[in-house]
Amino acid sequence: MNDNEHTTTLRPARSGDGRAVFDVTRHSVRELAKEHYSAEQIAGWMGDRTPDTYEAPIAKGLMVVAERGDRIVGFVDSEPGEVTRLFLVADAAGSGLGKKLLEIGIRNARRNHEGPVRIESTVNAEGFYLHHGFRAVERGYFSHGVGGDPIEIVHMEL
């Protein structure tokens, strides 16, 4: 491996990153959520999403991706008052990258917003968000889904 494969660069997502962001999401769910959700839930998690599904949030300009070498290994997306998505591939988890992406997501969610920042955490990520100051408000089901079986989540606030 060369040094570029170990260096992580954070940058705004750009048009055409939808395929890589889709792949990060799918990989993350399959590898990091499999101990907390059923095989059926994992299999249906992506629902009707396609790589093009991610191009709309990318176009809003609030998604940031993390690259190692020429590979996107994580991303965060937000809107006023909410961090809507934060996913990492399994080999990037536990490296501190999630914390960096969360800080960016929170900062973006606070733009033009007063009050708490919300997140719908997967069950497997609840501890991560608690560690970073969020508190659980209630349990529920994923509201940003596109088809697929209901996915249990934890509504959290900072």
Side-chain angles (χ1 to χ4, degrees):
M1 285 188 178
N2 63 41
D3 287 340
N4 285 343
E5 292 175 8
H6 294 291
T7 302
T8 301
T9 303
L10 301 175
R11 65 164 175 80
R14 54 185 174 243
S15 178
D17 284 341
R19 162 56 69 187
V21 170
F22 173 88
D23 289 342
V24 166
T25 305
R26 186 174 50 188
H27 175 84
S28 179
V29 167
R30 288 180 179 170
E31 297 300 316
L32 299 176
K34 65 185 176 187
E35 301 298 321
H36 296 85
Y37 295 96
S38 72
E40 293 79 19
Q41 287 173 311
I42 297 292
W45 195 294
M46 298 301 286
D48 297 329
R49 287 179 190 87
T50 67
D52 287 339
T53 303
Y54 293 90
E55 291 296 332
I58 288 169
K60 288 181 182 178
L62 293 176
M63 184 183 290
V64 173
V65 298
E67 286 182 315
R68 287 192 179 151
D70 60 357
R71 176 179 168 228
I72 292 177
V73 297
F75 71 96
V76 66
D77 186 29
S78 56
E79 56 191 44
E82 183 177 12
V83 176
T84 51
R85 288 175 279 282
L86 192 164
F87 287 93
L88 300 172
V89 295
D91 63 354
S95 68
L97 181 56
K99 177 183 177 184
K100 289 177 186 174
L101 288 171
L102 180 61
E103 289 169 349
I104 291 167
I106 292 168
R107 187 170 53 247
N108 287 342
R110 285 190 170 144
R111 284 190 193 145
N112 302 315
H113 173 78
E114 292 184 25
V117 171
R118 294 177 175 81
I119 193 159
E120 292 186 352
S121 172
T122 56
V123 175
N124 54 293
E126 181 180 9
F128 169 79
Y129 294 114
L130 288 170
H131 180 76
H132 292 289
F134 282 80
R135 66 180 181 83
V137 176
E138 66 180 341
R139 293 200 169 307
Y141 291 91
F142 191 54
S143 70
H144 295 287
V146 183
D149 290 338
I151 303 296
E152 182 184 359
I153 52 95
V154 182
H155 296 274
M156 304 184 85
E157 290 183 350
L158 177 66

